Structures are given as structure tokens and as C-alpha cells.
């Protein structure tokens, strides 16, 4: 009378063990070699850091001094916001409108910080210093790692390489712009928008992201001849809630 329950229990235990063994590789990815993490992090840091030259040229062309340009890279250190700020100032926007547009773009780093705080698990004393390096590239490299040690290494190497190279090339670009004269004469006034689009393009992975970008461009183009410089960027920020509301309504209708 007890043999049947015992057989059923053994069968169930065997199935549970097989399920655990089958799902274990999915939950725990193997750690990556440190050399591979450093290689990828340096690749990202060098590739993006070189675009600091374009920022230096663009900032100088917008009328900022060498000290102001270098201070932006040292203290702000978020490429898209820096380009937005000097682009708006160069177009004749007021300081408050230009700063507001840059702030909108920089808010995303706060959300990166919330995600990275739990992933990296850094001591409280180091968090204020690490916050300076919380940007798109360092977040992408850290989040791509399978474990905390690799995430910390990827974040640190990417942040150090990018911060150093970005500031060096910013200085070089600003100095070079002074020697070249008016950046528009060399076509370098297009460098800022081009780099900005290059930074934005990898983020447009899904349908919702592409729709948000398209609506933002449409809003900016419509408002450009109607509103003061810098304000169309603020209006374009409405694209995100508009697309989100539209997609949610569409999902509810299904």
C-alpha cells in the first residue's frame, strides 16, 4: 500500500531535480574573463571619447571660452546634454532655455543610477564619485556583464577611459577651433548634431523608441520657426508621454 506513493514521490523528486538542472544555466551565466571585459570597456571608452574633439569645436564655435568649454566636460560630462547646451546657445537661445533642454536630456542618468546602484553595490563613500561616471556608455557596459565583479570592472574602465579621453579631446578641439577660425567655414558646425545623432541612434532599438524619436523630430521642426531658439527642444520632450499614452491605449483596446 505504501509502494505507490513512494514511487510517485520519487518520480516527482526526479522531475524537480531535472527542472532545476535545466534552468540553472539560465539563472547564472558564467563569469567573463577580466581581459575580455577590459577590452570591451576600452573599446567603448576610446570610440566615444574621441568625439570630445567635436564638442570642443562646437562649443568654441558657439562662443564659449576655452575655460568654459573644458569646465563643461569636467563637471557635466554627459555628451548629449553638452551638445544640446552649446547648440542652443550658439543658435541664440537664452541661458535658461538652453540649460533646461540639457537638463531634460541629463535626467536619464538618474534612472541609470538607480539601476546601477543595486548592480554595483559600491560603498557609500565611493558613490558620489561613481555618480560622475553614470552615463549611457558606462551603464551599457556594466549592465551587459554577467556578475557584479565584471560589472564593476567594466564600469570603472569605461568611465576612466572615457572621462580622460573626452576631456583631452575637448581641450584639443577647443584649441583647434581657435586656430581654424569660424567652424562653419570648414563645415564643422555640423559636427555637434552629427555626433548627437550618433549617440542617439543605438538607443532606438524598439518600435516605441523609434516612434518617440520620430514624433520628437516632427515637434521640433514644427516649432523651430515659431518659437525662440532652445524652446523647440523642450517641446520635443513631450514626444515621450504622447507615444507612451498612444501605445497604452492601443494595448488596452486589444
Amino acid at each position: 500500500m505504501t509502494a505507490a506513493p513512494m514511487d510517485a514521490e520519487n518520480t516527482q523528486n526526479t522531475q524537480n531535480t531535472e527542472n532545476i538542472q535545466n534552468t540553472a544555466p539560465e539563472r547564472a551565466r558564467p563569469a567573463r574573463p577580466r581581459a575580455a571585459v577590459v577590452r570591451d570597456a576600452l573599446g567603448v571608452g576610446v570610440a566615444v571619447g574621441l568625439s570630445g574633439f567635436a564638442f570642443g569645436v562646437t562649443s568654441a564655435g558657439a562662443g564659449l571660452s576655452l575655460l568654459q568649454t573644458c569646465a563643461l566636460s569636467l563637471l557635466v560630462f554627459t555628451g548629449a546634454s553638452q551638445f544640446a547646451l552649446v547648440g542652443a546657445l550658439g543658435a541664440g537661445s537664452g541661458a535658461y532655455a538652453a540649460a533646461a533642454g540639457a537638463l531634460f536630456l541629463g535626467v536619464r542618468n538618474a534612472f541609470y543610477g538607480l539601476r546601477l546602484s543595486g548592480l554595483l553595490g559600491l560603498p557609500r563613500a565611493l558613490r558620489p564619485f561613481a555618480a560622475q561616471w553614470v552615463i549611457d556608455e558606462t551603464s551599457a557596459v556594466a549592465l551587459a556583464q554577467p556578475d557584479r565583479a565584471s560589472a564593476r570592472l567594466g564600469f570603472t574602465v569605461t568611465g576612466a577611459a572615457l572621462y580622460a579621453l573626452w576631456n583631452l579631446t575637448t581641450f584639443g578641439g577647443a584649441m583647434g577651433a581657435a586656430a581654424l577660425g569660424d567652424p562653419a567655414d570648414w563645415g564643422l558646425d555640423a559636427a555637434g548634431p552629427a555626433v548627437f545623432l550618433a549617440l542617439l541612434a543605438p538607443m532606438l532599438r524598439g518600435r516605441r523608441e523609434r516612434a518617440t524619436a520620430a514624433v520628437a523630430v516632427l515637434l521640433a521642426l514644427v516649432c523651430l520657426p515659431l518659437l525662440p531658439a532652445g524652446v523647440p527642444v523642450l517641446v520635443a520632450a513631450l514626444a515621450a508621454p504622447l507615444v507612451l499614452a498612444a501605445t497604452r491605449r492601443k494595448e488596452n483596446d486589444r
Side-chain angles (χ1 to χ4, degrees), residues 130-160:
Q132 177 70 356
W133 288 356
V134 176
I135 55 175
D136 299 325
E137 293 77 17
T138 56
S139 301
V141 172
L143 292 172
Q145 307 309 318
D147 58 89
R148 174 168 289 179
S150 298
R152 285 181 173 181
L153 180 62
F155 176 86
T156 303
V157 174
T158 305

Side-chain angles (χ1 to χ4, degrees), residues 3 37 44 57 65 112 118 121 126-127 148 183 190 196 204 206 210 214-215 221 233 247 250 254:
V37 177
V44 172
V57 172
S65 67
Y112 293 156
L126 294 179
R127 291 178 185 178
R148 174 168 289 179
F196 182 86
L204 307 180
R210 291 192 290 268
V215 174
L221 290 177
V233 176
T247 53
K250 186 176 180 180
R254 291 178 178 176

Side-chain angles (χ1 to χ4, degrees), residues 36-160:
V37 177
V38 172
R39 181 193 63 229
D40 293 345
L42 285 176
V44 172
V46 172
V48 180
L50 291 174
S51 60
F53 180 83
F55 171 72
V57 172
T58 305
S59 180
L64 276 71
S65 67
L66 177 63
L67 180 60
Q68 290 171 328
T69 299
C70 292
L72 276 175
S73 284
L74 285 168
L75 302 177
V76 179
F77 187 55
T78 170
S81 296
Q82 291 179 233
F83 276 111
L85 177 64
V86 299
L89 292 175
S93 172
Y96 290 111
L103 180 62
F104 267 112
L105 290 173
V107 164
R108 70 190 188 282
N109 294 334
F111 295 98
Y112 293 156
L114 292 175
R115 179 66 180 88
L116 291 176
S117 177
L119 174 64
L120 301 178
L122 296 175
R124 289 184 178 274
L126 294 179
R127 291 178 185 178
F129 302 98
Q132 177 70 356
W133 288 356
V134 176
I135 55 175
D136 299 325
E137 293 77 17
T138 56
S139 301
V141 172
L143 292 172
Q145 307 309 318
D147 58 89
R148 174 168 289 179
S150 298
R152 285 181 173 181
L153 180 62
F155 176 86
T156 303
V157 174
T158 305

